[in-house]
Amino acid sequence: MLLGRRLGSNWLVAPLLLLSFWVMVTLQAEPQNATGVQWSSIRLVDLQDDLTGESRLAQAIDVQLPHSWQPDGLMNKGVGRYALSLAVSAAAAQDAAQQPWSLRIDRLSPAHRIWLNGKLVHSTLPRRGWLTLGAPHLIDLPGGDLLPGQNTLVIEVHCAAQCGLTPVTLGRKADLQGAYWIYRMVTRDLLVVLNIVCITFSLFVVTLWWMRRQEATAGLFGLLMIVGALRNCRYFVEGDLQLSANADSWLYFTAHVLATCLQSWFILALSRTHWPALHRVLCGVLPGFPLIALAAMPFDPGLTHTRNILQGALLLLLPPSLLMLKRSHTLVPGNLLFGMGVGWLLALLASIHDFALGRIVGNVTFSYWLPWAIPMMMPQFAMLVIKRIATAFDEIEQANQHLETKVAERTRELAAANAAKSHFLTSASHDLRQPVAAIGLITDLLQSRVTDPALRSLTDRLTRAVNSMESLLKGLLDLSRLDSGTVDVQRRRVKLQPLLEAVTNHEMESARHKGLRLRIRPTDATVWTDPVLLEQILRNLVGNAIRHTAQGSVLVGMRRRGHTWVLQVWDSGPGIGPADQQRIFEAFVQLGNPARERSQGLGLGLAIVQRAASLLDHAVGVRSVVGRGSVFSVTMPAATLVQAHGSAHGGAHGLGGTAASDNALQAAHTGASTALPAIPARRVLVIEDDRGLRDTLVSLLQSWGVAEVHAGDSLASVRALPAGHWDLVVSDHRLGDGTGREVIAHLRAQQPMLPALILTGDTSPEQLAELASSGLPVLHKPFRSEKMRAMILETMARTTDRDDSV
C-alpha cells in the first residue's frame, strides 16, 4: 500500500497492465500434439560456421528440446540442422490430408528451412549469411506429405544468438492458432506497439526540446527513449535487412553505448549537476567504444568478446548515475522521482538480465526483458512532461488573465483620458466660439461702417485673423459631426465632371497665388455617392495638395477599375515617408511644420477626409515617394447617371448645406449686406448668456432694420416675459438653467408657428445628435453676419410652410 501511494495510481497502470499480459502467457497451457502424433528421437546432425561454412560437429548427437548451443559449449552462432523422427497414425495422416495442419515452434530463427520426408516444404532463407534471433512461428504443412508410420522432419536454423531449438508441436492449425496468436501478441506484437508509442511520444518531447532549448532534461530523456525503443524494435524484425552479422552486432552495441551516455546526461540535467569530469568521460565513451568495436571486428567476428568486455565496462557509469539521481529529490516531486527511479532501476536490471542470459549464457528459451522495461520507464516521465505542460498552460492562462486585467485597466484609463480630452475640447471649443462669434460679428459691423482707409486696413487684418480662428473651429465642428453619426448620408448618382470643375475653380486662385498649375482631366465618370460629402473630401484633398506643394503642379483625374472609379489627386510636393503615411489621417498631425504655421493648415483636412470616406464606404489610399510627390485616391462604386425631370442635388444636409450655398456665402463676404433682402420681422427675441455676444446680436439685428429686439440670458428670463407675439426667436442652446430647445418649446406653447433659430458652440457628438434629432435649424458658432442673415431668411420662409418640432 505504501509503495502504491508513493508511486501513484497513474504510474502503476502501465506495469500492472503489462504484468497481466505476462501472467496470461505464463498461465497458458503448453501446446499439445495432435492425437496420433508421437515424437521418437531428436538429433542435432550438423553445425556450420556462418563465415567459413566449416562443420563444427564431428558426428550427430541426440538432444532434448529445448536445446541451446552455447550452454552445451557448441557455438554461439551459425547454422544448425536438427533431424526429428515422429510416428503418425493412419487416422492422423488422413486428417492432415483433409484439413490444414501446422507446426508451432515458439523459438525458431526467421532464417530457416524445413524438410519433411526429404522434401523441402518451407524455406525463408533469401541468402546465406543471414543470421537472426528466434521468434514464434506457425508453419503450415502441405496436405498429403505427412505419411502413416514413421516420418522424418529436418529443421535448419541460421542463428545470430540464443541459438538452438524449442519444442515442436504438430497438430491441426485450427487447434494451434488461437493459443499461438495470443502468445505471439503478448511476446512480440504488443511489445512492438508499446515501443512505437514510446518513440512517438519521445519524438514529441525531442521536438519540444528543439523549439525550447531550456527543455534539455525532457529532450535527453526523449532521445534515450527513442534509442532504446528502436533497439527493442530491431529484436522483432523478421525480414532481411541485408546486414552482415558483424554490422548487426556493431549497431546493437553502438545503440547500447548511446543509450548509456544519454542516460547519464539526462540524470545530469535532471539533478542540475555540473560534473565536468563525468561529462568528459561520456564524450570519450560515446565515440570511443564504437570505434574500438569497429577496430576489433577482424579479430573478433560478431564482436562476441569485445561486446562482453565493453558492455561490462559501461556498468561503471552506474554509481555516478545513482548518486546524481539521489540529488534530484529536491528538484522533482517525490512520487515522480521515485517512479522514475523505479523505472530506471527496472531498465537497468533488464539490461543486466539480457546481457547475462542473452550474451553470456545464450539460452534459447531466453526472453528479452528490456522491451518490457523501456515502456515502463515512460509513464512516469510522461506524467512529468504532461504536468510541466499543464503548469505552463496554467501560467499562460494566469498571465493572460493578468494581461487582460492590465489591458482592461489601461483601457479604462485611456477611455477616461479620452473622455477628459473630449470634454476639454468640447468645453474649450464652446468657450472659444462665444468670443470668436462676437468678434466676427463686430468685425462685420466695423467693415460696414468704417470708411477711413487706414482703419479699413486694420479691419481687414482683423478679419483675416478671425477667419483663421473660424477655420480651426469649423474643422473641429466638422470632425465632431462626422464622429457623432448625425450626418445624413444621401447617396445618389453623381456625374463627377461638374463637381471637379466647381472644386478646381474654387481652388484655382490659391494655386495661382503660389505659382502652381492646377489641372483636371475631363471625365464622363458617374458614381454612387453623396455629392456634398464627396465635394468636401475633394476640397480637402485639393487644398491639402496645393498647400504642401511649393512648385510644379496639382492634377485631379479619374481612373476606371472594374466596377469602380478611383478619384486621384496628384501633387509634386515633398512626399511622405512610409512611416508617416498612416499618421497623416490623424487629427492635428502635420509633417514638416514644427512651428505650426497657419499657412500650412491645421492638420484637420485629411482627418475629415478619412471620416467622411468611412461614412460613404469609400476606400482612401495614399502612395508617395519622398522628394517626388504624392497621390491620394478615393475609390467609389460606378453608377449610371439617370436624368429625370425636376431632379435636384438636394437641400441642406450633411455638413452644413450644399456647396452652392456655401460658395454663395463665402463670395458674399464683402460687407455688402444691403444686397440681401430685408428681414421680414418687427419683434425679435434674442436669448444668449454671453453678454458680449448678446449685445453684438442685438446691434446686428438692429442694423438689419429690426424695429424691436428684446434680449434675455436664461430660460427663467423667457418664462418671466409677458405673453406677446414674436416674429422670430434666436436662442443659444446651452444656457445656465436650460437649453435653447426648452426656450423654443415654452414660446411655441403660446405661438406654435413661431420661427426659431438655435445658436450653439457645442461640438460634442451627443449634443450634435440631440440637435439633429430636434429638427430645428442650427447655426454653429462662430459664424459671419451673412450666414446668420441667410439662415434667418430661410427659417422664416420655411416656417410658413411647415412647423418645426422641438
Side-chain angles (χ1 to χ4, degrees):
M1 294 298 292
L2 178 61
L3 178 62
R5 285 194 298 269
R6 294 200 65 185
L7 291 176
S9 58
N10 57 352
W11 187 84
L12 283 175
V13 171
L16 290 177
L17 185 62
L18 297 179
L19 181 62
S20 65
F21 282 109
W22 184 259
V23 171
M24 186 167 58
V25 172
T26 56
L27 293 182
Q28 214 178 15
E30 290 289 333
Q32 298 296 321
N33 292 299
T35 304
V37 175
Q38 181 66 44
W39 299 96
S40 56
S41 66
I42 302 173
R43 307 182 71 197
L44 178 62
V45 297
D46 192 21
L47 277 178
Q48 296 180 7
D49 186 276
D50 61 298
L51 296 178
T52 64
E54 179 184 354
S55 178
R56 297 295 182 87
L57 194 64
Q59 60 182 4
I61 57 175
D62 293 327
V63 297
Q64 295 291 327
L65 299 184
H67 177 248
S68 302
W69 299 356
Q70 194 167 342
D72 287 352
L74 298 174
M75 294 171 56
N76 63 350
K77 63 178 179 178
V79 180
R81 182 176 294 186
Y82 290 87
L84 295 83
S85 299
L86 70 159
V88 180
S89 66
Q94 183 179 2
D95 187 76
Q98 295 175 351
Q99 57 183 317
W101 273 44
S102 299
L103 292 172
R104 174 181 170 179
I105 308 176
D106 290 345
R107 286 288 187 278
L108 176 65
S109 171
H112 61 262
R113 290 188 290 181
I114 299 176
W115 293 265
L116 180 60
N117 297 322
K119 178 182 178 182
L120 182 65
V121 295
H122 188 76
S123 175
T124 62
L125 190 64
R127 63 181 177 88
R128 186 165 185 84
W130 177 36
L131 306 181
T132 63
L133 303 176
H137 282 80
L138 187 68
I139 302 169
D140 294 339
L141 290 181
D145 288 350
L146 199 62
L147 304 176
Q150 285 296 123
N151 292 261
T152 301
L153 184 71
V154 177
I155 301 176
E156 181 183 277
V157 294
H158 297 245
C159 302
Q162 296 86 52
C163 302
L165 185 66
T166 57
V168 180
T169 304
L170 176 62
R172 294 177 180 173
K173 184 175 183 178
D175 296 336
L176 296 177
Q177 64 183 359
Y180 167 78
W181 285 116
I182 292 176
Y183 178 83
R184 182 182 177 89
M185 179 190 69
V186 176
T187 58
R188 295 184 67 83
D189 300 341
L190 176 63
L191 293 176
V192 171
V193 170
L194 290 174
N195 281 273
I196 289 176
V197 170
C198 287
I199 292 172
T200 304
F201 181 79
S202 298
L203 286 174
F204 162 75
V205 174
V206 172
T207 304
L208 179 65
W209 180 32
W210 179 265
M211 299 178 67
R212 286 177 50 86
R213 295 306 175 92
Q214 59 267 41
E215 301 293 341
T217 302
L220 288 169
F221 188 85
L223 287 177
L224 174 62
M225 290 293 99
I226 290 175
V227 173
L230 285 174
R231 185 173 183 270
N232 292 337
C233 291
R234 175 65 183 93
Y235 288 144
F236 307 119
V237 174
E238 297 183 9
D240 185 7
L241 299 181
Q242 300 296 317
L243 295 174
S244 67
N246 282 340
D248 200 46
S249 181
W250 184 83
L251 287 175
Y252 270 113
F253 174 68
T254 301
H256 186 80
V257 173
L258 179 58
T260 302
C261 293
L262 287 173
Q263 175 182 272
S264 297
W265 274 318
F266 160 70
I267 297 177
L268 274 173
L270 181 67
S271 61
R272 301 179 187 175
T273 301
H274 182 63
W275 199 340
L278 179 60
H279 180 71
R280 287 193 294 269
V281 169
L282 294 174
C283 289
V285 168
L286 181 58
F289 277 28
L291 289 176
I292 292 173
L294 195 63
M297 276 186 183
F299 314 102
D300 183 17
L303 300 177
T304 303
H305 303 294
T306 303
R307 287 183 61 179
N308 291 344
I309 295 172
L310 295 181
Q311 287 184 198
L314 289 176
L315 295 177
L316 297 176
L317 295 175
L318 175 62
S321 300
L322 289 175
L323 180 61
M324 290 184 296
L325 192 63
K326 183 179 178 182
R327 293 181 179 179
S328 303
H329 71 279
T330 59
L331 303 174
V332 182
N335 60 331
L336 292 177
L337 182 63
F338 187 76
M340 290 175 60
V342 171
W344 179 80
L345 183 60
L346 290 177
L348 179 64
L349 293 175
S351 299
I352 296 174
H353 168 271
D354 293 351
F355 175 73
L357 298 184
R359 299 293 305 176
I360 298 177
V361 177
N363 197 317
V364 71
T365 60
F366 159 80
S367 294
Y368 286 100
W369 285 8
L370 202 56
W372 295 92
I374 292 294
M376 292 175 68
M377 293 176 64
M378 181 59 70
Q380 195 67 6
F381 185 76
M383 290 303 303
L384 180 63
V385 173
I386 291 172
K387 285 186 176 182
R388 187 177 181 87
I389 293 175
T391 301
F393 277 125
D394 290 340
E395 292 175 352
I396 291 173
E397 290 178 358
Q398 293 175 2
N400 285 340
Q401 292 177 357
H402 181 70
L403 181 60
E404 289 176 0
T405 302
K406 287 292 185 182
V407 169
E409 292 176 357
R410 184 58 57 87
T411 301
R412 287 193 294 268
E413 292 173 359
L414 291 176
N418 190 52
K421 181 198 72 173
S422 299
H423 177 72
F424 167 77
L425 288 176
T426 300
S427 300
S429 177
H430 176 271
D431 294 342
L432 283 171
R433 287 171 187 274
Q434 299 286 92
V436 171
I439 293 170
L441 295 177
I442 292 172
T443 302
D444 290 341
L445 286 172
L446 285 173
Q447 282 189 322
S448 64
R449 297 178 183 180
V450 171
T451 58
D452 185 357
L455 293 177
R456 187 77 179 184
S457 175
L458 290 175
T459 58
D460 289 342
R461 291 164 60 186
L462 178 61
T463 299
R464 288 194 295 271
V466 172
N467 287 340
S468 296
M469 182 62 74
E470 286 182 346
S471 296
L472 172 60
L473 297 177
K474 183 179 181 298
L476 290 173
L477 177 61
D478 288 344
L479 282 177
S480 298
R481 284 177 173 175
L482 291 169
D483 290 337
S484 69
T486 61
V487 176
D488 181 19
V489 179
Q490 297 181 6
R491 293 180 179 86
R492 65 191 70 179
R493 292 178 176 85
V494 178
K495 196 170 182 62
L496 288 182
Q497 184 63 25
L499 181 61
L500 297 182
E501 292 176 352
V503 173
T504 54
N505 289 336
H506 182 269
E507 300 292 338
M508 191 66 72
E509 183 62 30
S510 298
R512 187 180 298 111
H513 179 72
K514 293 190 67 175
L516 303 176
R517 184 183 179 191
L518 176 59
R519 297 177 295 148
I520 63 169
R521 285 184 177 173
T523 179
D524 60 352
T526 303
V527 297
W528 184 257
T529 187
D530 182 303
V532 175
L533 288 174
L534 181 59
E535 181 177 355
Q536 185 180 38
I537 291 173
L538 183 56
R539 283 183 185 278
N540 278 286
L541 290 178
V542 175
N544 189 69
I546 294 173
R547 188 159 43 248
H548 293 91
T549 301
Q551 59 182 1
S553 63
V554 174
L555 174 64
V556 183
M558 302 294 300
R559 290 182 184 271
R560 184 67 183 261
R561 290 180 181 170
H563 298 290
T564 63
W565 281 100
V566 181
L567 168 66
Q568 293 183 324
V569 178
W570 297 74
D571 67 59
S572 56
I576 307 167
D580 296 321
Q581 290 182 12
Q582 293 300 320
R583 292 181 56 242
I584 57 175
F585 292 100
E586 299 174 8
F588 299 105
V589 171
Q590 288 183 300
L591 305 180
N593 186 21
R596 306 294 297 184
E597 291 289 340
R598 289 195 301 273
S599 61
Q600 297 187 36
L602 302 168
L604 296 176
L606 292 179
I608 293 173
V609 168
Q610 183 75 280
R611 286 163 172 77
S614 298
L615 284 177
L616 294 171
D617 293 327
H618 295 346
V620 176
V622 59
R623 289 184 291 112
S624 184
V625 178
V626 176
R628 298 186 60 182
S630 306
V631 55
F632 288 84
S633 61
V634 181
T635 303
M636 300 165 284
T640 301
L641 184 64
V642 179
Q643 299 291 343
H645 294 291
S647 63
H649 289 292
H653 76 293
L655 294 178
T658 63
S661 63
D662 286 343
N663 291 342
L665 289 173
Q666 292 176 10
H669 186 236
T670 61
S673 58
T674 55
L676 295 173
I679 294 178
R682 191 178 66 86
R683 298 185 76 236
V684 177
L685 177 61
V686 176
I687 305 299
E688 171 60 63
D689 58 356
D690 184 85
R691 181 175 179 178
L693 182 55
R694 183 173 66 248
D695 293 343
T696 303
L697 288 172
V698 171
S699 299
L700 190 61
L701 288 168
Q702 289 173 346
S703 71
W704 289 343
V706 179
E708 297 183 34
V709 181
H710 297 268
D713 61 359
S714 63
L715 177 60
S717 65
V718 175
R719 290 173 176 169
L721 290 173
H725 179 83
W726 301 99
D727 296 319
L728 174 69
V729 59
V730 179
S731 177
D732 186 23
H733 183 249
R734 184 190 294 186
L735 301 172
D737 57 352
T739 65
R741 291 183 291 120
E742 291 175 311
V743 168
I744 296 170
H746 174 77
L747 294 174
R748 282 186 174 177
Q750 303 172 8
Q751 188 180 341
M753 299 298 292
L754 173 63
L757 176 64
I758 289 285
L759 308 179
T760 183
D762 287 320
T763 58
S764 67
E766 296 80 8
Q767 294 291 341
L768 294 176
E770 290 179 4
L771 288 172
S773 63
S774 71
L776 291 168
V778 179
L779 183 59
H780 293 276
K781 304 173 184 177
F783 50 83
R784 306 312 294 267
S785 58
E786 292 83 1
K787 182 75 179 270
M788 179 178 175
R789 185 167 184 168
M791 286 201 69
I792 288 175
L793 291 172
E794 182 182 354
T795 300
M796 296 188 70
R798 185 173 54 181
T799 308
T800 60
D801 299 326
R802 63 182 179 87
D803 180 23
D804 294 317
S805 60
V806 179

